[in-house]
Amino acid sequence: MAIIVDNDTRLVVQGLTGSEGRFHGLRNRAYGTQVVAGVTPGKAGQDVEGIPIYDTVAQAVSEGRANTSLVFVPARFAADAVYEAVDAGVHTVICITEHVPAHDMLSLYAYVRAKGVTLVGPNCPGVLSPGKANVGIIPGEVFRAGSIGLVSRSGTLTYQIGHELAQAGLGNSSIVGIGGDPIVGSSFIDVLERFEADPETEIAVLVGEIGGDEEEKAAKFVAEHMTKPVFAYVAGFSAPPGKTMGHAGAIISGSSGTAQAKREALEAVGIKVGTTPSEVAALVAAFAKGE
Amino acid sequence: MAIIVDNDTRLVVQGLTGSEGRFHGLRNRAYGTQVVAGVTPGKAGQDVEGIPIYDTVAQAVSEGRANTSLVFVPARFAADAVYEAVDAGVHTVICITEHVPAHDMLSLYAYVRAKGVTLVGPNCPGVLSPGKANVGIIPGEVFRAGSIGLVSRSGTLTYQIGHELAQAGLGNSSIVGIGGDPIVGSSFIDVLERFEADPETEIAVLVGEIGGDEEEKAAKFVAEHMTKPVFAYVAGFSAPPGKTMGHAGAIISGSSGTAQAKREALEAVGIKVGTTPSEVAALVAAFAKGE
Amino acid sequence: MDLLEYQGKQLFGAAGIPVSDGRVCTTAAEARAAADEVGYPVVVKAQVLTGGRGKAGGVKLAADADETERIAEGILGLDINGHVVRTLWVEHASDIEREYYLSVTFDRGAKKPLLMFTTEGGVEIETVAEENPDALVRLHVDPLEGFQPHHARALVYGAGLTDPSEQKQVSAIVEKLYRCFEQNDAMLAEINPLIVTPDGLVKALDAKVTIDDSALGRHPELAELRDEGAADPLETLARSKGVTYVKLDGTVGIVGNGAGLSMSTVDVVVVAGGSPANFCDLGGGASADSVVNALEVITADPQVGSILFNIFGGITRGDEVARGILAALERIDITVPIVVRLDGTHAEEGRALLAEAAPANLYVEPTMLDAARRAVELAR
Amino acid sequence: MDLLEYQGKQLFGAAGIPVSDGRVCTTAAEARAAADEVGYPVVVKAQVLTGGRGKAGGVKLAADADETERIAEGILGLDINGHVVRTLWVEHASDIEREYYLSVTFDRGAKKPLLMFTTEGGVEIETVAEENPDALVRLHVDPLEGFQPHHARALVYGAGLTDPSEQKQVSAIVEKLYRCFEQNDAMLAEINPLIVTPDGLVKALDAKVTIDDSALGRHPELAELRDEGAADPLETLARSKGVTYVKLDGTVGIVGNGAGLSMSTVDVVVVAGGSPANFCDLGGGASADSVVNALEVITADPQVGSILFNIFGGITRGDEVARGILAALERIDITVPIVVRLDGTHAEEGRALLAEAAPANLYVEPTMLDAARRAVELAR
């Protein structure tokens, strides 16, 4: 099974003819993902190393039978691209683009939810189900297939932890980078709910960071709805209060939102929290190998 | 049972302190409807013959346990009033107000549907379930309780037909005036679907008029989904083509939308169509009394 | 409310949609002056709210000033499907390389705006829809989403437009037309034809815009245009009195409350062997004054031989209607007989008022059909 | 991006929200002239992006010109929580009858804008929320619905505002504040306090507005305000180079890719016994040039004793980072040692490039923790 992307994923890449879209789209195909189409308005009839380009996502769906879209278009076109994908009938949209205005996301999120479509991102690294499909910019080679579900607000931190798990001989069912923007299509809870339901996932690892209260909410969800063991890591223990660190997802709001507050909320419901990426990997490895 | 309004209806009237709101709100209560609250911003604490007034629908819901709203506010405030009622958590909104701009209804309709709320109107006479509840401006005294479901785009025409049925000794389960505006909250099909499911309704009567293609769609729905017998009347056989007759619901668009075309579409699926209100009442009476 | 071509083009121009330079004229001399300003050749177009202007001789090319004046004279006063031409639009004539069709309409069934575009222009859009449905791209805009640039792309690429400059121009026009539709509370905004000139410029050669009557309150500048397009003096009178009135050709004047019942009354008069003189809807919650107004309008039609009131009270109260009829009989000199049928809210009170006053030429009947028969009989 | 009070008030004023007449000043003489213009008494307010201005002596009343000048001199140059006052706002002082609180914020959890209003103003809003939660009306606006007048009514009536004139004024301000929030892509628009004067006028006495950095592209006029509020010269340099940089107090310069990994690197340096000199995030898809820029900014800090690169490639490619480091070593005189840890996309190529060039003061480590330990050691 795995979650969100798998062997049934038929991917259209919006912005496949751009440099990033091409680089990562082809890497996704090289990984084994079925990349069935690209969309660039005005370039229908062309191809990118054999992947046909269409003018619209609707054509990619009707002619290429795409069911999932990967969005690589520039920020000012990103909301339009997601709307287009949703209206074209894909069931999943993964949006890598960063700097999508938060107010655009307000309306878009509400619309996507009303339509029952799964959105991951924006400003996220994508979703990788090792051995099945890689959709986005996650470096597939650092992850092994296995039974650990990984969900993270931070892209590179996810690779770091996946890498440490792989070095400990462990693998992942799916790795989901939800993105760190103020509004993202899938929250920790949305993804944890899927891990709980996924027969291939046995353990979940949550990778959070300072700012907001998503980790606190996830802790509550885990306590109330999850039977599978959950581990966590939170970045930003040494962040000075009140400083913005890189993106809106990392604004500390008052006393809440600190790494320490998140750690406490997670530990309060029995989730073990590592102090460094290595430590959380070690905790998971110890558990997976029977303590 | 009956549909949309019944003994469980707990009504809040938005605009109860206005002259129309007061007149019809009190008539609805006199009919036996549970009118639990009125809403007029700035008039909380007052009452209309014992019906408490609140500033907001939310208060009417929390304090008066209202579950249905009747909207009598002027056109330029009507969309806001419906949004307020929906957000306050009522399950049904019946909007009598006419001249609500069609573009306001576009957004409002989509929102109301997304929230799963039943909207009847705008520009409609309301819903009457004889012997149970009367919500709106339908003169309750002309209808008897019985097993005929009546749905109509036209208010006064509905009374006419209900009156003729009553004179023939027949009664109604519910009478629903859906309104004649370009966009209304409940269509013929929405109401016919409820009549089909309502154990108290044995026969349905559809009262249409020229313009649009709602009657044609209803004919298709009846053919495909209804087991109960349906009769119909269509107004406007003598209307000259291309003339607007009173409201936007009655614009003839091209060759389709004429009363004749509608009659043919209805008869094509076996629905008997009366030429005058009296004739349709006579057809129904003959059928109800065993031909 | 339907707008005349030039009114629609003014909205288009304000929305940034390319239109030709033109002037509104009401005399041949004005047309000549206008043509001098916009430059020859010009096209002189009758401004009437009906189709088939071209076939009726209402649209003509003129190469110079004299020809413009002569043509304008010929078109002014022309009767096109019952609409007398009083206004002309004179614009610089465009060279046409290709003709497209673009519109946004209010799809009542889907409850969403509908965009339609085809490169198969220059013919009736219904013909394209029937004979070559794939060439007509139809696309709804979800109100929860609003217009997005991808909607324009779907039209442009879906219709097979290949020239990049045209793709860009048409996409921009689609978005502007949609905004124009939205901001003006239009029920229809149609460009037929949308042309491409030999220089590759895309522009609107005609404009058909219908505004939602219910929204005119928030568009006072559009509401002012209303009477310019009105054809019948009686209908203009009716509008000034706030009465919904449509002139027909018969002898039985009809007043109903609600469009459905009023229409049904027209039908029943025909069934009873009569011919309706008009359709008149008091609407909901009519006051005595609006009844007086309606009677003023109806009695202004010399063809009317009798008047039939068919009232089934709901929000309208029977006593109010009765008071209105009695007030009108006092204030206006009404010679034709009035037949009244009252039911519903406060009908008994109304009937009592009428019975008490008992004017000579007033007949009260118990049913719609009886009342129609009586009115038909009295109209003879 | 946080706006200074006066910038927020300018947005409020443009949105039609009543604010006092005031002037921006940077010298005591300007303050004196401004006070003469707006009329006495005036209030002189330090313009800094930090709370607690009042307690720190950054907000003072002045009754005449001399007092204004003296107070302005005292406030200019004041250090308030590390922010040096360079700008003042001088406005006509308002008489205050009552203090309310009104805001619109971006509720990330609910994914909806959140309106908050209370008549219990003049204290910390957190205190009201804790001690008297019923007095603080909280209301989300559904993005599919948009702002509607009933939202304002819910706040006004919910908070128990009884005076009809105040109800009307506050309702209008709620709608205007929401439009201001929406149109300026704000993450927060707060009026604390919203005051009522003895004459019954409602106005905004302070303004706290945060703009979404991702939306600055469509608000060039707001983007221009950014540097006016910047405190640290290094951060200003960083911004001009397009580098996300936060100055800290330690000795180990840190460069990561992605906010999470960069933050984690800061944490790990602390765990390894060191003290981070900064947080620097290359973001996604960094080019060699942006690596050079980052190194320019970091080496401009004299406290830096070593630099730690912690890169896990995704959209960022390891070879690009390696090229950037090598280019920087050629172009800039870097005396401190650089420790590099590269993994992920094109990491091997990157490591190969570094190994080939083999600069003297560059150390490549296999893991994050090893690299942090080495950098901490070298910084001593």
Side-chain angles (χ1 to χ4, degrees):
Chain A
M1 285 237 337
I3 69 168
I4 306 176
V5 303
D6 56 25
N7 290 324
D8 295 330
T9 297
R10 294 181 59 83
L11 191 69
V12 49
V13 181
Q14 292 178 258
L16 184 65
T17 59
S19 74
E20 294 299 329
R22 181 187 176 95
F23 180 79
H24 293 286
L26 291 174
R27 272 171 70 98
N28 285 173
R29 184 172 69 170
Y31 188 86
T33 315
Q34 298 183 67
V35 182
V36 298
V39 167
T40 304
K43 299 205 173 169
Q46 301 183 10
D47 72 292
V48 167
E49 300 200 2
I51 305 169
I53 302 297
Y54 300 97
D55 287 322
T56 66
V57 181
Q59 290 165 347
V61 168
S62 68
E63 294 175 35
R65 293 189 295 117
N67 59 22
T68 300
S69 174
L70 174 62
V71 176
F72 261 115
V73 306
R76 67 183 189 282
F77 307 125
D80 180 44
V82 176
Y83 279 119
E84 181 182 358
V86 170
D87 288 350
V90 302
H91 58 61
T92 301
V93 182
I94 294 169
C95 182
I96 308 302
T97 308
E98 58 179 345
H99 303 308
V100 179
H103 279 260
D104 290 2
M105 283 306 301
L106 273 183
S107 317
L108 182 58
Y109 177 85
Y111 184 70
V112 168
R113 284 279 154 149
K115 297 286 161 180
V117 169
T118 298
L119 172 66
V120 181
N123 190 15
C124 83
V127 184
L128 163 63
S129 295
K132 301 189 177 76
N134 190 7
V135 177
I137 64 173
I138 298 176
E141 62 279 9
V142 304
F143 297 90
R144 296 178 40 176
S147 60
I148 301 168
L150 194 52
V151 57
S152 170
R153 274 165 74 184
S154 158
T156 44
L157 202 44
T158 316
Y159 317 157
Q160 178 65 39
I161 291 170
H163 181 66
E164 307 243 14
L165 289 174
Q167 287 183 325
L170 295 169
N172 299 96
S173 52
S174 292
I175 297 99
V176 184
I178 62 172
D181 273 4
I183 293 187
V184 290
S186 294
S187 66
F188 278 137
I189 292 175
D190 295 325
V191 178
L192 288 173
E193 198 167 18
R194 289 178 187 248
F195 280 140
E196 175 70 14
D198 175 35
E200 277 183 19
T201 301
E202 290 168 15
I203 298 173
V205 177
L206 179 155
V207 183
E209 61 187 39
I210 52 170
D213 63 351
E214 279 292 310
E215 290 79 4
E216 287 85 338
K217 282 188 184 156
K220 189 160 178 286
F221 176 83
V222 169
E224 289 170 6
H225 301 286
M226 285 194 73
T227 59
K228 297 179 182 177
V230 180
F231 294 82
Y233 172 73
V234 180
F237 280 92
S238 310
K243 288 257 184 180
T244 299
M245 288 226 173
H247 58 58
I251 295 170
I252 298 177
S253 52
S255 64
S256 169
T258 62
Q260 189 55 37
K262 290 175 188 299
R263 179 184 198 134
E264 285 163 14
L266 291 161
E267 287 181 342
V269 301
I271 297 171
K272 286 192 180 162
V273 182
T275 304
T276 64
S278 307
E279 192 183 321
V280 74
L283 288 168
V284 173
F287 178 86
K289 292 168 182 169
E291 311 294 300
Chain B
M1 285 235 335
I3 68 168
I4 305 175
V5 303
D6 56 25
N7 290 325
D8 295 330
T9 296
R10 293 180 60 84
L11 191 67
V12 51
V13 181
Q14 291 178 259
L16 184 65
T17 59
S19 74
E20 294 300 329
R22 180 187 176 96
F23 180 79
H24 293 286
L26 291 174
R27 273 172 69 97
N28 286 174
R29 183 172 70 169
Y31 188 86
T33 315
Q34 297 183 68
V35 182
V36 298
V39 167
T40 303
K43 299 204 174 170
Q46 301 184 11
D47 73 291
V48 167
E49 300 200 2
I51 305 169
I53 303 298
Y54 299 97
D55 287 321
T56 66
V57 182
Q59 289 164 348
V61 168
S62 66
E63 295 175 34
R65 292 188 296 118
N67 58 23
T68 300
S69 174
L70 173 61
V71 176
F72 261 115
V73 305
R76 67 183 188 283
F77 307 125
D80 179 44
V82 177
Y83 279 119
E84 181 183 356
V86 170
D87 288 351
V90 302
H91 58 62
T92 300
V93 182
I94 294 170
C95 182
I96 307 303
T97 309
E98 60 179 345
H99 304 308
V100 179
H103 279 260
D104 290 2
M105 284 305 302
L106 274 183
S107 317
L108 182 58
Y109 177 85
Y111 183 72
V112 168
R113 284 279 152 150
K115 296 286 160 180
V117 169
T118 298
L119 172 66
V120 181
N123 191 15
C124 82
V127 184
L128 164 63
S129 295
K132 299 189 178 76
N134 190 7
V135 177
I137 65 173
I138 298 177
E141 62 279 10
V142 304
F143 296 90
R144 294 178 41 176
S147 61
I148 300 167
L150 194 52
V151 58
S152 169
R153 274 165 74 183
S154 158
T156 45
L157 203 44
T158 316
Y159 317 157
Q160 179 65 39
I161 290 170
H163 182 66
E164 307 242 13
L165 289 174
Q167 287 183 326
L170 295 169
N172 298 97
S173 52
S174 293
I175 298 99
V176 184
I178 62 171
D181 274 3
I183 293 187
V184 289
S186 294
S187 67
F188 279 138
I189 292 175
D190 295 325
V191 177
L192 289 173
E193 199 167 17
R194 289 179 187 245
F195 280 141
E196 176 71 14
D198 174 35
E200 277 184 17
T201 301
E202 289 169 15
I203 298 173
V205 178
L206 179 155
V207 183
E209 61 186 41
I210 52 171
D213 63 351
E214 279 292 310
E215 291 79 4
E216 288 85 338
K217 282 188 184 157
K220 189 160 177 284
F221 176 83
V222 169
E224 289 169 7
H225 301 286
M226 284 194 72
T227 59
K228 297 180 182 177
V230 180
F231 294 82
Y233 172 72
V234 180
F237 279 91
S238 309
K243 288 257 185 181
T244 299
M245 288 222 171
H247 59 59
I251 294 168
I252 298 177
S253 51
S255 64
S256 167
T258 63
Q260 191 55 38
K262 289 174 187 300
R263 179 185 197 133
E264 285 164 12
L266 291 160
E267 288 180 340
V269 300
I271 297 171
K272 287 192 179 164
V273 182
T275 304
T276 64
S278 307
E279 194 183 321
V280 74
L283 288 170
V284 173
F287 177 86
K289 292 168 180 167
E291 311 294 301
Chain C
M1 177 181 77
D2 294 326
L3 299 189
L4 291 167
E5 173 195 3
Y6 84 88
Q7 297 165 338
K9 279 188 173 166
Q10 284 168 351
L11 289 188
F12 286 0
I17 297 168
V19 288
S20 296
D21 190 19
R23 304 284 183 279
V24 187
C25 313
T26 55
T27 66
E30 275 178 28
R32 181 186 189 114
D36 281 348
E37 277 180 52
V38 302
Y40 297 94
V42 297
V43 57
V44 182
K45 307 177 85 172
Q47 298 297 291
V48 283
L49 293 175
T50 182
R53 287 181 300 173
K55 277 187 192 161
V59 179
K60 285 188 172 164
L61 268 172
D64 57 37
D66 287 346
E67 195 181 2
T68 304
E69 197 166 336
R70 202 173 60 242
I71 284 174
E73 255 163 31
I75 297 179
L76 282 166
L78 206 64
D79 184 317
I80 303 179
N81 303 330
H83 295 251
V84 177
V85 181
R86 296 195 191 89
T87 308
L88 300 174
W89 174 248
V90 177
E91 72 174 23
H92 182 70
S94 300
D95 287 332
I96 300 174
E97 182 78 24
R98 284 184 292 283
E99 294 187 324
Y100 301 157
Y101 170 95
L102 175 66
S103 68
V104 200
T105 51
F106 213 90
D107 186 335
R108 300 161 54 129
K111 293 166 175 78
K112 290 173 188 169
L114 177 67
L115 287 161
M116 290 199 282
F117 177 64
T118 178
T119 57
E120 308 275 315
V123 290
E124 289 282 311
I125 189 65
E126 293 82 354
T127 315
V128 179
E130 258 176 48
E131 294 175 7
N132 193 3
D134 285 351
L136 180 66
V137 187
R138 300 161 57 100
L139 186 71
H140 285 111
V141 175
D142 191 315
L144 296 181
E145 174 181 351
F147 182 87
Q148 303 292 339
H150 74 82
H151 291 117
R153 293 198 298 274
L155 294 186
V156 161
Y157 294 113
L161 214 59
T162 51
D163 180 73
S165 160
E166 276 186 34
Q167 289 173 345
K168 207 175 149 188
Q169 291 179 73
V170 173
S171 290
I173 292 172
V174 171
E175 175 151 8
K176 286 166 181 169
L177 187 68
Y178 192 90
R179 302 290 175 214
C180 178
F181 168 81
E182 211 170 35
Q183 284 160 10
N184 292 296
D185 276 298
M187 304 301 288
L188 168 70
E190 184 185 71
I191 307 178
N192 188 19
L194 178 72
I195 63 156
V196 187
T197 68
D199 301 341
L201 289 179
V202 182
K203 63 178 172 176
L205 212 62
D206 199 353
K208 201 166 182 180
V209 177
T210 305
I211 305 294
D212 176 14
D213 289 337
S214 292
L216 285 176
R218 55 189 181 201
H219 301 286
E221 73 296 350
L222 295 175
E224 277 177 21
L225 300 177
R226 191 202 278 261
D227 284 331
E228 297 181 32
D232 188 281
L234 270 181
E235 291 186 11
T236 310
L237 172 66
R239 191 169 294 134
S240 73
K241 299 271 179 192
V243 172
T244 301
Y245 175 92
V246 180
K247 171 91 176 80
L248 303 172
D249 286 327
T251 56
V252 180
I254 291 168
V255 186
N257 63 319
L261 185 64
S262 305
M263 267 192 286
S264 180
T265 311
V266 170
D267 290 349
V268 171
V269 165
V270 172
V271 167
S275 64
N278 66 275
F279 161 97
C280 178
D281 173 13
L282 291 178
S287 66
D289 277 348
S290 49
V291 174
V292 175
N293 289 341
L295 279 171
E296 273 189 64
V297 174
I298 291 167
T299 53
D301 177 357
Q303 279 189 272
V304 167
S306 69
I307 297 169
L308 166 59
F309 272 81
N310 186 19
I311 304 297
F312 208 115
I315 201 164
T316 302
R317 306 182 203 169
D319 54 340
E320 275 293 299
V321 174
R323 271 187 212 99
I325 294 172
L326 296 173
L329 286 172
E330 274 182 26
R331 283 190 239 162
I332 324 169
D333 179 28
I334 301 180
T335 53
V336 297
I338 299 178
V339 182
V340 181
R341 180 269 178 149
L342 278 183
D343 260 310
T345 309
H346 288 201
E348 274 177 48
E349 291 90 326
R351 283 195 296 264
L353 286 171
L354 294 176
E356 200 184 323
N361 58 342
L362 189 126
Y363 305 79
V364 176
E365 292 287 345
T367 74
M368 184 167 164
L369 197 55
D370 292 338
R373 283 181 183 141
R374 174 62 69 103
V376 169
E377 191 184 297
L378 290 168
R380 282 191 185 118
Chain D
M1 179 181 77
D2 294 326
L3 299 189
L4 291 167
E5 173 195 3
Y6 83 89
Q7 297 165 339
K9 279 189 174 164
Q10 284 168 352
L11 288 188
F12 286 179
I17 298 168
V19 287
S20 297
D21 189 19
R23 303 284 183 278
V24 187
C25 313
T26 53
T27 66
E30 275 177 30
R32 182 188 189 111
D36 282 347
E37 278 180 53
V38 302
Y40 296 93
V42 297
V43 57
V44 182
K45 306 176 86 174
Q47 299 296 291
V48 282
L49 294 175
T50 182
R53 288 181 299 172
K55 278 187 192 160
V59 179
K60 286 190 174 164
L61 268 173
D64 56 39
D66 287 345
E67 193 180 4
T68 303
E69 197 168 336
R70 201 172 60 240
I71 284 174
E73 255 164 30
I75 297 180
L76 282 166
L78 207 65
D79 183 317
I80 304 179
N81 304 330
H83 297 251
V84 177
V85 181
R86 296 195 190 88
T87 308
L88 300 174
W89 174 248
V90 177
E91 74 175 21
H92 182 70
S94 300
D95 287 332
I96 301 174
E97 182 78 23
R98 284 185 292 282
E99 294 188 325
Y100 300 158
Y101 170 95
L102 174 66
S103 68
V104 200
T105 51
F106 213 90
D107 186 336
R108 300 161 54 132
K111 292 164 176 81
K112 291 173 186 167
L114 177 67
L115 287 161
M116 289 199 281
F117 177 64
T118 179
T119 57
E120 309 275 316
V123 290
E124 289 282 312
I125 190 65
E126 293 83 354
T127 314
V128 179
E130 258 176 47
E131 295 175 7
N132 194 3
D134 285 351
L136 179 66
V137 187
R138 301 162 56 101
L139 187 72
H140 285 111
V141 175
D142 191 314
L144 296 181
E145 174 181 352
F147 183 87
Q148 303 293 339
H150 74 81
H151 291 118
R153 293 198 299 274
L155 295 187
V156 162
Y157 295 114
L161 215 57
T162 52
D163 179 74
S165 161
E166 277 186 34
Q167 288 174 347
K168 208 176 149 188
Q169 292 179 74
V170 173
S171 290
I173 292 172
V174 171
E175 175 151 8
K176 286 167 180 167
L177 187 68
Y178 191 89
R179 302 291 174 214
C180 178
F181 169 81
E182 209 171 37
Q183 284 160 12
N184 292 295
D185 276 297
M187 303 302 286
L188 168 69
E190 184 184 71
I191 307 178
N192 189 20
L194 178 71
I195 63 155
V196 187
T197 68
D199 301 341
L201 289 179
V202 181
K203 63 178 173 178
L205 211 62
D206 198 354
K208 202 166 181 181
V209 177
T210 305
I211 306 294
D212 176 13
D213 289 336
S214 292
L216 285 176
R218 56 190 181 200
H219 302 287
E221 75 293 353
L222 295 176
E224 277 178 22
L225 301 178
R226 192 201 277 262
D227 284 330
E228 296 182 33
D232 188 280
L234 269 179
E235 291 186 9
T236 309
L237 171 67
R239 191 170 294 134
S240 74
K241 298 271 178 192
V243 173
T244 301
Y245 174 92
V246 180
K247 170 93 177 77
L248 303 172
D249 286 328
T251 55
V252 180
I254 290 168
V255 186
N257 63 320
L261 185 63
S262 304
M263 267 191 287
S264 180
T265 310
V266 170
D267 290 348
V268 171
V269 164
V270 172
V271 167
S275 65
N278 66 275
F279 162 97
C280 178
D281 174 13
L282 290 177
S287 66
D289 277 348
S290 49
V291 174
V292 175
N293 290 340
L295 280 170
E296 274 189 64
V297 174
I298 291 168
T299 53
D301 177 357
Q303 281 190 270
V304 168
S306 70
I307 298 169
L308 166 59
F309 271 80
N310 186 20
I311 304 296
F312 209 114
I315 200 163
T316 303
R317 306 181 203 167
D319 53 341
E320 276 292 299
V321 174
R323 270 186 213 100
I325 293 171
L326 295 174
L329 286 171
E330 275 183 25
R331 283 191 238 162
I332 324 168
D333 180 27
I334 300 180
T335 52
V336 297
I338 299 178
V339 182
V340 180
R341 180 270 178 148
L342 278 182
D343 261 310
T345 310
H346 288 202
E348 275 176 49
E349 292 90 326
R351 284 194 294 262
L353 286 170
L354 295 176
E356 200 183 324
N361 57 343
L362 190 126
Y363 304 79
V364 177
E365 292 288 344
T367 74
M368 185 168 164
L369 197 56
D370 291 338
R373 283 179 184 142
R374 173 64 68 103
V376 169
E377 189 186 300
L378 290 167
R380 283 192 186 116

